[in-house]
Amino acid sequence: MGKLGKKARKFARKNLQSVLRNKRKLKSKFKRKASKTTGGQDVEENQERDTTNLSTERKAMTEEIEDVSLDDVFSEDDSEGLGEDSDSDVYLSEDSCCAHLTECDGESENNIDSSNGGSSLMVHNRDIRAELVKKAKRLNKLKEKDPEFARFLERYDVSIKQAKDDETSSDDEGGLDGMHPMNEDAVRSHVPKCLTSGQVDSLCNMVKKDHNMAALTCLINAYCTACHSDSKAPSASISVLSHNIQSGETFSKILMFMLHEADTIFRKLLGLSCSNCKKETVLELKNTSKWLSLKPLIKSYLRSTLFLLNQVTDSELLTFTICRLRTSIIFLVAFPTLLRKLLKISVHLWATGDESLSSHSFLIIKDISSMFGLNWFDSCFVKTYKAFINHAQYVDQRLFEHIHFLRNSFLELCSLDVQKSSNMAMKCMLHLAKILQKGRQTKKKEVVKKICSWQYINCIELWVAFISANAPEYDLHPLLYMIVQIINGIALLFPGPRYLPLRIRCIQWLNQLAGSTGIFIPVISLVLDVVAYKIAKDGGRKPGKGFELQSTIKLPKHWLKSRNFQGECISSAIELLSEHFAQWSYHISFPELATAPLVHLKKLYEITSIESSRRVIKRFIDQVEMNVDFVQKKREEAPFSPKDQQTVETFLQIERRSGNTPFTQYYRSIMSSVTAVYTLGYALRLPPQLFMLH
């Protein structure tokens, strides 16, 4: 008897009773061994534990995706807020020309000075604070033990206040309206603690004409007081001010003089040019005697101005202040901490201010990114991108123009270093792709809602605009491939008719990318899905409450049952196909490209009952067929082979430059009508449903 074949042996293993009986014996034997060694329970427990761990990991992964934010792509420590330095009323000693700063928070420029000196200074300041706290506790205990000593301290405080009041009143009676310029010694000894309008004028004249350092120190101290006048003193040291400002007129004079003249005065004293000055010039002056004498004055002026920007709410004053601060931005190369604070304030004002304030704030951001090196460019990029994301969560007609401005200004910032920006853009797109991938995998409501949001859509639109603007001059093919995959993923994730506005945006993005890069991107299947939407049988009712398409991602349900929904789908599909065909109407393969859409549109023409839609479809079909015949005729006359790639690229280049073909003129007429309808609708404030998708 010969050997069994392969199929026979397989059948025997599965079905013969003797084989099954042996398997059962072996299985029972293994079970008995496991029960003797109590291994069976461990196996079951391990299986249960593994199952629990898997479910926990899946749940944690889902929760992680739900909690992820679009601005989490950059792990940057934004803890250097203004709050940590807002109580730093920096006053200068008026007893010496070479005044030094007395700072409450002990800020140190670690990037300018040596790191060892900065750390030792911080330790020293910390020890002093600890010692002051101990002495304050001992004083409080002494007051509790000795009531007479406490009453003595109270009487002493009262006498000090009365002496200050008498000094102030005597200064007011005397006045300084007619005072003449004094020398530095006179300024040091006779400058009053309560400045009047006349005294401020005298100090300003002394600074402008004689460059009097003592008078400049006095004005900077008064300017510091003016900038902190509306703030609440969080510590006792701030309540002891160097100057008191009597009236609003004096307050205004101090602010206006310092903002107008401070930069010019500092440059003259340092011997710097008012126009051409680079950061290297300031760094070279760092160890000179001029800089060492003026550094406390410059730093106090800059810190006080930054504090003013963080406190003032008037838009005109903010705009004027940030314009004047921009002229002195070169001095901030010596103060990196202040430069970081200026960047943070500028980004906030850029994202939240009105048109003028946003524009001038962006100029500050642009100057920082271009003047101070690549590290500062990265900081500007990250902070502006996060600010754009946070302010693009909601869109309506009022905010649409502001978001458009933010997008354009961000693209202008990226144009300063396109290669660096493209690397950062790839990180952002990978983050967007990760969220989209998890949304398609889990289909969780929270994740899908995060994708179908204005925040996500505006991020996509931002990078589409970036690629479209820079693709002709730079190799951005990796970014193009990534963004096309993301857009197609969004279109496939939301296929329903209620997401018609979102699908239209996706097709418009793809057409924009194809037009700017010259690379063919297929959109015909997405467009034909729009005309294939099924309409409800009772689709004869009028639409209800109107809405604006620009501020809509998802259609209301009542629009699906409106009688003009099918017409809007057809008209929008014709517009998108016209744009797509216009990009390739001169290409040698246009007849093959138009074959499938023509077949579908002819079927749609036959089944459509709306006369206006039939006319639109018929006109489009006629124009496409005319262009097909035109290209085929030129192909027959062409003397080259389709394999000759270089010659194929030059096909119909003369006709493309002239732009006089029938289909090009047809596309121009469609786009002009779309623009006219939008302009008329917004100008007359017509209901949005009258010009919804045109």
Side-chain angles (χ1 to χ4, degrees):
M1 183 177 179
K3 292 184 178 180
L4 294 175
K6 182 178 180 181
K7 293 184 178 180
R9 290 197 302 272
K10 184 177 181 181
F11 177 82
R13 284 197 303 270
K14 288 187 175 181
N15 299 285
L16 289 182
Q17 294 183 0
S18 59
V19 176
L20 295 176
R21 186 166 52 252
N22 291 333
K23 284 184 178 181
R24 286 194 294 271
K25 287 182 179 179
L26 290 173
K27 189 175 181 180
S28 60
K29 186 184 296 184
F30 288 142
K31 283 186 176 180
R32 285 196 298 271
K33 288 182 179 179
S35 61
K36 290 179 180 179
T37 59
T38 65
Q41 295 180 359
D42 295 340
V43 172
E44 293 179 359
E45 290 179 359
N46 291 334
Q47 291 178 351
E48 292 178 359
R49 193 181 301 111
D50 293 340
T51 305
T52 306
N53 291 337
L54 285 174
S55 60
T56 305
E57 290 177 0
R58 290 171 184 168
K59 185 177 180 181
M61 183 183 68
T62 305
E63 292 177 354
E64 180 183 358
I65 297 300
E66 292 174 8
D67 296 337
V68 72
S69 177
L70 288 175
D71 59 358
D72 289 343
V73 59
F74 298 109
S75 58
E76 183 192 35
D77 187 11
D78 294 331
S79 60
E80 68 274 8
L82 284 172
E84 67 186 34
D85 198 43
S86 59
D87 59 340
S88 58
D89 57 332
V90 183
Y91 292 100
L92 305 169
S93 173
E94 298 173 18
D95 298 333
S96 174
C97 293
C98 299
H100 61 276
L101 289 177
T102 306
E103 305 179 22
C104 295
D105 60 349
E107 177 191 4
S108 61
E109 271 66 33
N110 296 329
N111 295 337
I112 303 299
D113 302 329
S114 63
S115 58
N116 294 332
S119 60
S120 61
L121 181 60
M122 292 176 63
V123 173
H124 182 62
N125 290 339
R126 195 181 303 115
D127 295 339
I128 291 176
R129 292 193 190 98
E131 187 177 355
L132 289 175
V133 171
K134 291 180 180 178
K135 289 185 177 181
K137 291 181 179 179
R138 291 175 60 186
L139 182 61
N140 293 331
K141 290 181 179 179
L142 187 58
K143 287 181 181 180
E144 294 176 359
K145 292 182 179 179
D146 192 350
E148 293 183 0
F149 179 69
R151 287 193 292 271
F152 168 75
L153 291 178
E154 291 177 0
R155 290 194 300 271
Y156 181 76
D157 292 339
V158 171
S159 63
I160 291 295
K161 290 181 180 179
Q162 290 177 354
K164 287 184 178 181
D165 294 339
D166 295 340
E167 183 182 358
T168 302
S169 60
S170 63
D171 291 335
D172 293 339
E173 291 172 1
L176 286 175
D177 292 339
M179 69 179 297
H180 299 284
M182 299 178 291
N183 56 22
E184 292 186 6
D185 295 332
V187 172
R188 293 177 203 147
S189 57
H190 296 291
V191 169
K193 293 297 181 181
C194 184
L195 288 177
T196 61
S197 178
Q199 295 169 357
V200 172
D201 292 336
S202 299
L203 292 173
C204 293
N205 290 330
M206 294 167 62
V207 172
K208 291 183 69 175
K209 294 180 180 179
D210 304 330
H211 294 160
N212 191 302
M213 291 291 293
L216 179 60
T217 303
C218 183
L219 280 176
I220 289 180
N221 281 339
Y223 177 70
C224 182
T225 302
C227 293
H228 288 75
S229 60
D230 293 333
S231 62
K232 296 181 180 179
S235 63
S237 61
I238 294 181
S239 62
V240 184
L241 299 177
S242 297
H243 296 285
N244 292 319
I245 300 175
Q246 257 191 350
S247 63
E249 182 183 1
T250 307
F251 175 86
S252 300
K253 282 186 178 181
I254 294 171
L255 286 182
M256 290 301 103
F257 177 80
M258 291 303 301
L259 292 174
H260 269 294
E261 304 295 337
D263 180 74
T264 304
I265 294 170
F266 291 146
R267 289 177 183 268
K268 287 182 178 179
L269 293 174
L270 291 171
L272 297 176
S273 172
C274 295
S275 57
N276 297 325
C277 182
K278 298 182 180 180
K279 67 174 184 177
E280 291 79 10
T281 307
V282 177
L283 292 176
E284 289 175 359
L285 292 171
K286 187 179 65 174
N287 296 324
T288 61
S289 59
K290 289 182 179 180
W291 174 259
L292 294 176
S293 62
L294 286 174
K295 179 181 176 182
L297 302 176
I298 296 173
K299 185 174 182 181
S300 179
Y301 164 72
L302 294 175
R303 289 170 66 103
S304 301
T305 307
L306 289 176
F307 190 85
L308 180 66
L309 284 175
N310 199 41
Q311 296 295 322
V312 174
T313 58
D314 182 71
S315 179
E316 294 183 0
L317 181 56
L318 283 172
T319 303
F320 174 74
T321 304
I322 207 163
C323 285
R324 298 308 306 161
L325 188 58
R326 187 188 172 207
T327 61
S328 304
I329 194 173
I330 193 64
F331 295 121
L332 288 168
V333 69
F335 311 108
T337 306
L338 299 183
L339 186 58
R340 283 194 293 270
K341 294 175 182 178
L342 175 60
L343 176 59
K344 186 173 183 179
I345 294 174
S346 301
V347 170
H348 174 71
L349 296 177
W350 167 71
T352 60
D354 56 18
E355 182 178 358
S356 177
L357 181 57
S358 296
S359 300
H360 288 93
S361 301
F362 177 71
L363 292 177
I364 292 278
I365 301 171
K366 191 175 178 182
D367 288 344
I368 293 174
S369 60
S370 60
M371 293 172 60
F372 296 100
L374 291 178
N375 291 334
W376 287 103
F377 177 83
D378 294 346
S379 298
C380 293
F381 184 98
V382 171
K383 290 182 180 295
T384 50
Y385 181 67
K386 288 186 175 183
F388 174 80
I389 290 176
N390 293 329
H391 289 84
Q393 298 182 12
Y394 308 99
V395 174
D396 55 22
Q397 186 57 32
R398 182 177 56 86
L399 297 175
F400 183 78
E401 295 181 359
H402 183 63
I403 293 177
H404 186 70
F405 164 77
L406 296 181
R407 180 168 61 249
N408 290 342
S409 55
F410 180 79
L411 295 178
E412 185 178 351
L413 177 66
C414 294
S415 65
L416 298 177
D417 192 340
V418 177
Q419 292 296 338
K420 188 80 172 179
S421 300
S422 61
N423 295 333
M424 308 280 277
M426 179 58 75
K427 294 181 181 179
C428 299
M429 291 184 194
L430 289 173
H431 188 65
L432 295 172
K434 179 182 177 182
I435 296 176
L436 178 63
Q437 182 182 12
K438 297 304 179 182
R440 295 188 64 182
Q441 289 177 354
T442 60
K443 296 296 179 65
K444 295 286 291 185
K445 182 179 179 181
E446 293 78 7
V447 185
V448 173
K449 188 176 180 181
K450 187 184 296 293
I451 298 172
C452 187
S453 65
W454 276 114
Q455 197 176 31
Y456 195 92
I457 297 305
N458 282 319
C459 289
I460 300 294
E461 195 159 351
L462 175 68
W463 298 123
V464 169
F466 171 76
I467 296 173
S468 301
N470 298 286
E473 300 179 2
Y474 297 90
D475 182 16
L476 301 180
H477 286 85
L479 297 181
L480 176 64
Y481 176 79
M482 178 66 68
I483 199 67
V484 169
Q485 295 299 316
I486 294 175
I487 294 172
N488 285 324
I490 295 173
L492 295 176
L493 185 60
F494 304 100
R498 291 191 65 186
Y499 296 99
L500 174 65
L502 180 58
R503 179 169 288 260
I504 290 175
R505 283 180 177 272
C506 291
I507 300 171
Q508 289 174 344
W509 291 334
L510 295 176
N511 281 335
Q512 180 181 349
L513 292 170
S516 60
T517 60
I519 297 176
F520 177 77
I521 300 176
V523 298
I524 292 177
S525 60
L526 298 177
V527 177
L528 295 179
D529 289 342
V530 172
V531 297
Y533 284 148
K534 295 181 179 180
I535 313 303
K537 295 182 179 180
D538 56 344
R541 296 186 295 177
K542 294 182 179 180
K545 185 178 179 181
F547 65 97
E548 297 178 2
L549 180 66
Q550 288 184 327
S551 59
T552 303
I553 300 177
K554 188 177 180 181
L555 289 174
K557 288 185 178 180
H558 62 79
W559 262 97
L560 303 183
K561 299 181 180 180
S562 63
R563 59 171 172 238
N564 60 348
F565 176 74
Q566 187 178 13
E568 300 294 353
C569 291
I570 293 174
S571 61
S572 60
I574 295 299
E575 292 171 11
L576 296 171
L577 275 179
S578 300
E579 183 180 2
H580 181 62
F581 283 168
Q583 297 172 357
W584 307 103
S585 60
Y586 298 96
H587 199 269
I588 196 170
S589 62
F590 181 79
E592 289 75 20
L593 177 65
T595 300
L598 285 176
V599 173
H600 283 80
L601 290 175
K602 288 178 180 179
K603 292 181 180 179
L604 181 65
Y605 176 77
E606 295 176 356
I607 63 176
T608 301
S609 59
I610 303 175
E611 187 61 29
S612 59
S613 299
R614 287 172 61 88
R615 288 196 300 269
V616 172
I617 298 172
K618 185 66 170 65
R619 185 188 176 195
F620 179 76
I621 292 174
D622 293 341
Q623 295 293 332
V624 173
E625 289 180 343
M626 288 175 59
N627 199 76
V628 169
D629 296 337
F630 171 73
V631 175
Q632 284 181 342
K633 183 179 178 180
K634 293 293 183 180
R635 283 202 313 195
E636 293 174 358
E637 299 174 356
F640 53 84
S641 170
K643 295 182 180 180
D644 190 356
Q645 187 65 31
Q646 294 182 353
T647 311
V648 168
E649 295 296 332
T650 62
F651 182 72
L652 295 180
Q653 287 299 313
I654 299 175
E655 290 79 358
R656 179 189 292 272
R657 295 190 191 98
S658 63
N660 294 325
T661 58
F663 190 83
T664 303
Q665 296 177 359
Y666 164 74
Y667 175 67
R668 289 174 181 171
S669 65
I670 287 182
M671 298 311 297
S672 61
S673 63
V674 170
T675 305
V677 171
Y678 265 121
T679 304
L680 178 63
Y682 289 124
L684 300 179
R685 297 296 188 269
L686 296 177
Q689 60 266 29
L690 296 182
F691 57 98
M692 175 185 164
L693 295 175
H694 293 289

